[in-house]
Amino acid sequence: MEQTAHVYPEGCYFKSLEDIQDKHVTIMGLGLNGGGEASVKFFLRHGAYVTVTDMKGRQELEPTILSITNDPALDRSRLTYVLGQHRLEDFTQADCVIKNPGVKFEGNSYLQAAKAVETDLSIFLSFCRSPIIAVTGSKGKSSTASAICFGLQKAGFSAFLGGNITVSPLTFLEQTDGATPVVLELSSWQLRDLRGRKVLKPKVAVITKILPDHQNWYDGMDSYVADKRLIYADQDSSDFTILDADEDGYRHECAAPKAGCSCWGDDFAGETKGFVLRYSRFVQKRDVWGAFLKKERDGSITGYANLPEELRSRRSVQKGILQEQILRNLDVPGPVNRINALKAALALRLMGVSPEQTCSVLAQWPGLPHRLEACHKWKSGTDGRLLVFYNDSCSTVPESCAMASQSFDQDIILIAGGTDKKLDFRPLAATLNGTDGSKWKARQLYLLEGSGTDRLLPLLDPARVTIVGPFPSLTALLTELKDRLSAPDAAKTFGPVTRHTPLPVVFSPGCTSFGMFSNEFDRGDTFRATVRDLFI
């Protein structure tokens, strides 16, 4: 059983930025993804004595250490590294410890011995005066947050993006003021570290689709979702909460589902004090405030906002337009990106961006690396077949892999597999087997080795999906794929050549990257580089 979540003291240990001067601060976890590095630089800039402690050794952390060493603005005489170990005295003697969100406070003797514990996010929120747009959920939060910030910047705002998207908000705290919106992507772990502090009061809170995730870290869906609920815990009626309206696994995932609730969004809507708006893949009733997708007569999918009069644009009110079009064309593929863009469009409207400008700026949104990112094109010398490779390495749950497989309005070559985190692979197997009504199939399924792959394989029907592998590395997998594509009988394996419609090769693992890669970003970088090396 998971221990009861720790509740932190209200407020922040530091009463002002000036209060940091000459304090002794321990950074727990330097890492390679920017959060620890940003904390080190921030506290050194503000005159603290900084001790960095990490269980990784200097060689593994060398890129981050070099970045700190090469920053001439830092007084490194105040910096001490303790690597390859944690020492209790570095926690007990510090005025404050800055913890990594991936480390649980509960059961951690080092953190429990500290006088005060903060995170880069709690520090930022304590001193930032910007309007906050906070995004959490299981899948789609990075893309949604990115699209919101992109849209704000294109609309003329000096907006910033940070959080779980690998950019610490401490890197831009000093550049913010009351007129600079900040978009924060927040993981459940980051939200957990804010419990009790009362420093997060987002003007707009967005919760993307809730799916089973991180069940190797939590003891069940209820404890996982309890951390997600913290995004709106301190909102009031002047704030907005954007929630899913479509049916999901709530009734069987929640231990005690509430009467009348068919999705997690229904449950959240009954709790938040913010003004509730819903988003949906389907046209909604006129008394449901929010946004929805609609299929037009020409077959295109567009988005509309249904807002109360005080939130509609002046033009809409004057012309009696009840539902404003806020989404038209997108450059990024797939229904998942479209629903993410719809959430972003709704947030932009709440921030005062006009419907026309919302449509215009989101049409330019390029998407994100590692999320159905078109990363390479290749033409076969054997039959002239054109392929486009897509890097969807941030697909870390089976459902996201299933959705990626249906994102191209055609059959694809799918690359999946990896490490399990105690998730249910039956939805992915149903899509790959074609038993869930999915329209498109994987012409071939290439698998990486891993415990997740071991759980998926028994669920697949070899008569319905051609399985190749598993492989011990991406190099071995992609080499086999190229050999098959270059074979004289490639058309029998991959179907006839359609010269004007490229065949998508989609790397959407549906699993974590542990063991074979450092993280999903390293995995995506490796895929991108290996594809470019082999398919030339």
Side-chain angles (χ1 to χ4, degrees):
M1 290 292 291
E2 186 187 27
Q3 293 178 306
T4 302
H6 178 68
V7 179
Y8 292 90
E10 186 173 340
C12 179
Y13 168 77
F14 301 102
K15 305 310 175 190
S16 66
L17 292 179
E18 291 72 25
D19 190 32
I20 296 173
Q21 181 72 38
D22 293 332
K23 291 292 194 301
H24 290 265
V25 175
T26 291
I27 309 293
M28 185 187 193
L30 181 60
L32 298 167
N33 290 323
E37 177 184 346
S39 294
V40 171
K41 292 181 176 181
F42 176 83
F43 282 101
L44 286 177
R45 285 200 310 269
H46 287 278
Y49 293 96
V50 176
T51 297
V52 174
T53 177
D54 197 306
M55 294 301 291
K56 295 183 179 70
R58 178 173 288 271
Q59 183 174 358
E60 190 173 356
L61 296 169
E62 192 65 24
T64 305
I65 293 172
L66 278 175
S67 177
I68 294 170
T69 301
N70 293 333
D71 189 334
L74 303 179
D75 180 1
R76 288 184 289 108
S77 68
R78 291 177 172 242
L79 175 62
T80 302
Y81 289 106
V82 179
L83 304 178
Q85 62 175 319
H86 289 323
R87 304 181 308 192
L88 190 60
E89 60 264 31
D90 294 324
F91 293 80
T92 58
Q93 295 175 15
D95 294 303
C96 184
V97 173
I98 308 299
K99 73 176 285 294
N100 183 302
V103 178
K104 279 188 178 181
F105 181 96
E106 299 81 13
N108 189 295
S109 59
Y110 297 105
L111 292 172
Q112 290 173 348
K115 298 171 186 174
V117 176
E118 298 281 351
T119 65
D120 65 335
L121 189 61
S122 69
I123 297 292
F124 175 82
L125 290 169
S126 296
F127 298 114
C128 179
R129 298 297 171 255
S130 298
I132 301 294
I133 303 166
V135 183
T136 194
S138 300
K139 284 294 150 187
K141 55 185 182 291
S142 294
S143 293
T144 301
S146 167
I148 294 171
C149 189
F150 179 88
L152 287 171
Q153 291 173 344
K154 287 291 185 180
F157 289 87
S158 296
F160 294 89
L161 174 64
N164 192 55
I165 204 160
T166 72
V167 177
S168 171
L170 292 182
T171 60
F172 53 74
L173 173 60
E174 291 93 338
Q175 302 173 60
T176 62
D177 57 33
T180 52
V182 171
V183 185
L184 293 175
E185 182 207 332
L186 302 177
S187 69
S188 55
W189 303 339
Q190 289 172 314
L191 286 165
R192 187 184 187 92
D193 285 333
L194 299 177
R195 188 181 297 275
R197 299 188 193 272
K198 295 190 178 297
V199 294
L200 175 63
K201 185 183 181 294
K203 183 64 181 174
V204 180
V206 184
I207 303 184
T208 67
K209 178 69 73 177
I210 295 292
L211 299 168
D213 199 3
H214 300 301
Q215 295 302 285
N216 56 335
W217 209 83
Y218 290 94
D219 67 349
M221 278 294 286
D222 284 328
S223 59
Y224 167 62
V225 175
D227 287 345
K228 298 294 188 189
R229 297 179 193 273
L230 295 171
I231 196 171
Y232 57 73
D234 293 313
Q235 285 189 301
D236 61 33
S237 59
S238 68
D239 303 315
F240 301 101
T241 313
I242 299 176
L243 303 168
D244 194 2
D246 296 339
E247 189 171 340
D248 55 24
Y250 171 77
R251 287 195 180 99
H252 67 265
E253 291 166 359
C254 182
K258 297 174 183 175
C261 293
S262 63
C263 63
W264 286 104
D266 292 342
D267 189 325
F268 302 149
E271 286 188 344
T272 180
K273 295 182 177 66
F275 184 88
V276 173
L277 302 108
R278 311 299 293 272
Y279 62 88
S280 175
R281 294 174 291 127
F282 310 103
V283 175
Q284 296 293 288
K285 296 178 181 178
R286 288 191 178 274
D287 61 350
V288 178
W289 304 126
F292 59 85
L293 296 176
K294 178 182 178 182
K295 188 172 184 178
E296 305 290 359
R297 291 181 179 179
D298 63 0
S300 63
I301 306 296
T302 58
Y304 289 84
N306 187 40
L307 301 174
E309 182 173 320
E310 63 270 20
L311 294 177
R312 295 203 300 273
S313 70
R314 181 181 300 178
R315 177 179 178 275
S316 296
V317 173
Q318 289 174 344
K319 291 183 173 293
I321 299 172
L322 301 179
Q323 295 180 334
E324 303 170 331
Q325 189 174 59
I326 58 173
L327 193 65
R328 286 195 291 269
N329 302 320
L330 285 179
D331 277 344
V332 289
V336 173
N337 276 321
R338 188 162 294 277
I339 197 71
N340 291 335
L342 180 72
K343 290 171 262 181
L346 183 54
L348 293 180
R349 285 293 296 114
L350 297 176
M351 294 299 293
V353 182
S354 72
E356 297 80 8
Q357 194 170 24
T358 295
C359 287
S360 174
V361 298
L362 288 179
Q364 304 170 54
W365 176 52
L368 281 178
H370 311 298
R371 295 161 181 87
L372 286 180
E373 169 199 8
C375 63
H376 190 64
K377 292 182 180 179
W378 179 76
K379 188 174 182 179
S380 169
T382 302
D383 58 14
R385 184 188 308 271
L386 182 63
L387 290 90
V388 178
F389 291 81
Y390 289 86
N391 168 23
D392 193 37
S393 182
C394 279
S395 161
T396 60
V397 300
E399 290 85 352
S400 64
C401 178
M403 288 186 281
S405 75
Q406 303 300 303
S407 292
F408 295 90
D409 293 331
Q410 66 176 108
D411 294 345
I412 66 170
I413 298 171
L414 180 63
I415 303 171
T419 308
D420 178 35
K421 49 180 175 177
K422 299 184 179 178
L423 301 180
D424 185 359
F425 284 87
R426 287 174 296 181
L428 174 56
T431 297
L432 296 176
N433 291 332
T435 57
D436 65 350
S438 297
K439 184 176 181 180
W440 308 107
K441 68 177 183 178
R443 294 187 183 181
Q444 288 198 329
L445 172 64
Y446 288 75
L447 292 172
L448 285 172
E449 291 179 354
S451 55
T453 305
D454 294 341
R455 291 190 60 195
L456 173 64
L457 276 169
L459 304 174
L460 297 176
D461 183 351
R464 294 175 179 264
V465 56
T466 301
I467 302 165
V468 186
F471 293 90
S473 69
L474 272 173
T475 299
L477 185 154
L478 290 167
T479 299
E480 175 66 22
L481 172 60
K482 185 178 182 183
D483 288 344
R484 291 182 176 226
L485 285 164
S486 303
D489 61 348
K492 292 182 180 179
T493 304
F494 300 100
V497 176
T498 306
R499 299 190 184 279
H500 301 295
T501 305
L503 176 61
V505 180
V506 184
F507 179 44
S508 186
C511 300
T512 63
S513 56
F514 305 132
M516 201 175 289
F517 308 95
S518 299
N519 50 49
E520 64 267 36
F521 309 111
D522 173 51
R523 177 170 64 185
D525 290 340
T526 301
F527 173 76
R528 194 190 298 116
T530 307
V531 164
R532 290 172 180 172
D533 285 345
L534 287 174
F535 290 84
I536 53 177

